Amino acid sequence: MKIEPQKRRWLIIAVIFLAIVFNYVDRQLVSILKPMLKGEFGLDDAGYAVIVNVFTVCYAVMYPVTGWLVDRFGEKMVMFYGVIIWSLACIGGGLASTVKQFSFFRGLLGVAEPTNFPAQLKVVTVWFPGKLRATANSFCVAGSSIGAIIAPPLIAWLALTYNWKVAFIAMGAVGILIAILWKIVYVSPPASVSESEGIKDDGIKFSWPQLWKTRSLWGVILIRFVSDPVWYFCLFWLPGYLQESSGLTLAQIGMFGWIPFLVADLGAIGTSSWSDKMVRGGKEPLKARMIMLSTVAALGPLCAFTPFATSPWVTLLLFSLVAVACLSWLFSISVVIAEAFPVGNVASVLGIAGGFGAVGAVVFNYFVGQLMGSIGSEKIFLTMAVMHPLAVLLLWTMIRKEKPNVE
């Protein structure tokens, strides 16, 4: 049955949404099961940080590579094989019997998972007009927080009902089904859509060496480097922090740990829609995204109050608001890239920037693992409080519309 392009593009968004949901469920398995995995493999916080960093280092290295692969071989093929590989890696983690085996499969997960986001941005860029681009992008990337929402109750239930290995294997099996669905649903946009609504790929783009000479690329790199670690902390440390420092049990994490991610999801979709509304009102698209991001960054410093929270519920409230800032930036910095660079470069730029964002998370995660117990959480949360305001400064001083010189 033939599907009209305007309907197909939303079906494509739905499949990407599902892929990103389980992308985040798979990566968050270790944070939710942290106490259980520490007991299984005899790990302390530093050992746990090593496992997290095995994933994150591989993720950081492969992110720029997958961006280049998408621009070179296309979003359909790269995303299909990426989902297949990360699903097999998740299953492998559930079958691992030693910490080395487990670390290997977490590294393989990190190699494959970056494929999602450059492919998703390329899809949004060529299938959607500027007045819908941020909203469509936010619905795609909303899968990240929905994955974080469903992960605590789903993974806690699987682990408590069966065991932690079943949780890994079940999520990997779901991923394989999503890869098959993507293979069936995705097609490139017809010429009528790419010319009238999406950004047409006219073949004019920066070469790889030229791309590294643009000011905006370095701006996006620095923005992701300083702002991404706050979101990675929410993913990899907040569930364990709530159990170990705030006194919540694993069952209570399953019941309430999803709250910050739901609030973040709704807030980030709302802020993305606001930026699209500004575009429909006549605001230049790039400027609209920058105004929105600058406004929402004011929520970032709230995390400085976390160590002084009087109850775990106050901690959940604070991180719910901080997570709105994190996700708004993660959602819309991709759209900033789509507005600032030629369509033939957007996947590569996102891949490079995402890689550096993961590097920032690796560095920050290392110091959290080493210092959380020694210098206290106050200094760590205070550091996170300044990261989004610093990103605002970088946004306004370094980001602009980049156009290749055509001779």
Side-chain angles (χ1 to χ4, degrees):
M1 183 178 67
K2 186 176 180 180
I3 304 174
E4 292 296 322
Q6 282 71 22
K7 293 181 180 179
R8 181 180 288 274
R9 67 186 180 188
W10 291 108
L11 181 60
I12 291 168
I13 293 298
V15 177
I16 295 174
F17 169 83
L18 285 176
I20 295 178
V21 165
F22 285 93
N23 178 293
Y24 265 70
V25 170
D26 291 353
R27 74 174 66 183
Q28 216 182 349
L29 279 162
V30 294
S31 66
I32 295 165
L33 300 176
K34 177 186 174 186
M36 197 173 288
L37 293 172
K38 286 170 68 176
E40 175 77 17
F41 294 116
L43 302 170
D44 56 12
D45 274 343
Y48 171 77
V50 169
I51 288 180
V52 171
N53 271 349
V54 167
F55 165 85
T56 314
V57 168
C58 292
Y59 190 83
V61 170
M62 283 302 296
Y63 218 140
V65 176
T66 56
W68 178 84
L69 288 172
V70 170
D71 281 334
R72 176 67 177 83
F73 297 105
E75 56 273 23
K76 181 174 184 176
M77 185 181 75
V78 174
M79 185 165 171
F80 172 76
Y81 285 109
V83 178
I84 288 289
I85 293 170
W86 92 53
S87 299
L88 293 175
C90 195
I91 293 171
L95 299 175
S97 57
T98 68
V99 69
K100 288 183 179 180
Q101 292 173 359
F102 186 78
S103 297
F104 169 80
F105 285 113
R106 293 307 289 180
L108 184 60
L109 188 78
V111 167
E113 282 204 339
T115 54
N116 240 0
F117 297 101
Q120 166 262 320
L121 181 59
K122 192 69 169 284
V123 170
V124 169
T125 303
V126 299
W127 270 97
F128 288 87
K131 62 185 179 181
L132 288 175
R133 192 166 296 127
T135 301
N137 183 75
S138 70
F139 279 125
C140 279
V141 190
S144 60
S145 52
I146 295 297
I149 289 166
I150 70 170
L154 177 60
I155 300 310
W157 176 77
L158 286 170
L160 293 173
T161 304
Y162 303 99
N163 56 60
W164 68 268
K165 292 178 177 290
V166 169
F168 278 81
I169 294 169
M171 295 305 98
V174 171
I176 292 174
L177 295 177
I178 292 172
I180 295 170
L181 184 60
W182 171 257
K183 188 78 169 180
I184 295 170
V185 168
Y186 189 75
V187 297
S188 298
S192 59
V193 171
S194 61
E195 291 175 3
S196 64
E197 296 193 333
I199 298 176
K200 182 181 178 181
D201 189 352
D202 55 12
I204 300 174
K205 62 180 182 178
F206 293 102
S207 66
W208 188 260
Q210 289 172 338
L211 195 58
W212 286 92
K213 296 178 182 179
T214 61
R215 186 174 72 184
S216 294
L217 174 62
W218 288 102
V220 173
I221 284 172
L222 292 173
I223 286 169
R224 293 291 301 264
F225 185 83
V226 302
S227 61
D228 276 24
V230 184
W231 179 242
Y232 277 85
F233 182 92
C234 292
L235 289 176
F236 292 129
W237 290 94
L238 183 58
Y241 178 83
L242 288 169
Q243 292 177 72
E244 296 173 345
S245 299
S246 298
L248 294 184
T249 65
L250 177 59
Q252 288 174 319
I253 290 294
M255 294 172 64
F256 305 110
W258 52 269
I259 292 175
F261 303 103
L262 176 61
V263 174
D265 201 29
L266 296 176
I269 291 173
T271 56
S272 297
S273 298
W274 173 39
S275 74
D276 275 346
K277 184 177 180 180
M278 283 191 278
V279 175
R280 291 194 294 272
K283 184 75 69 178
E284 195 273 324
L286 181 57
K287 185 64 65 69
R289 320 305 180 195
M290 294 169 73
I291 291 171
M292 180 276 287
L293 289 172
S294 301
T295 303
V296 78
L299 296 172
L302 291 175
C303 65
F305 298 99
T306 302
F308 310 104
T310 55
S311 75
W313 316 116
V314 175
T315 301
L316 283 171
L317 172 62
L318 290 172
F319 262 91
S320 294
L321 297 173
V322 171
V324 171
C326 292
L327 271 197
S328 294
W329 276 77
L330 281 175
F331 284 11
S332 290
I333 202 65
S334 299
V335 184
V336 167
I337 291 169
E339 311 290 6
F341 288 90
V343 65
N345 293 122
V346 293
S348 295
V349 173
L350 181 62
I352 293 167
F356 276 89
V359 169
V362 168
V363 173
F364 190 73
N365 177 68
Y366 172 79
F367 285 107
V368 170
Q370 295 294 317
L371 302 176
M372 179 73 87
S374 58
I375 68 171
S377 60
E378 293 89 349
K379 293 183 176 64
I380 292 170
F381 286 110
L382 183 61
T383 301
M384 288 193 290
V386 303
M387 289 180 167
H388 282 93
L390 178 56
V392 171
L393 179 62
L394 294 167
L395 180 69
W396 286 96
T397 57
M398 299 191 71
I399 303 299
R400 63 185 180 186
K401 190 81 172 177
E402 300 285 358
K403 295 182 179 180
N405 292 322
V406 180
E407 297 181 357

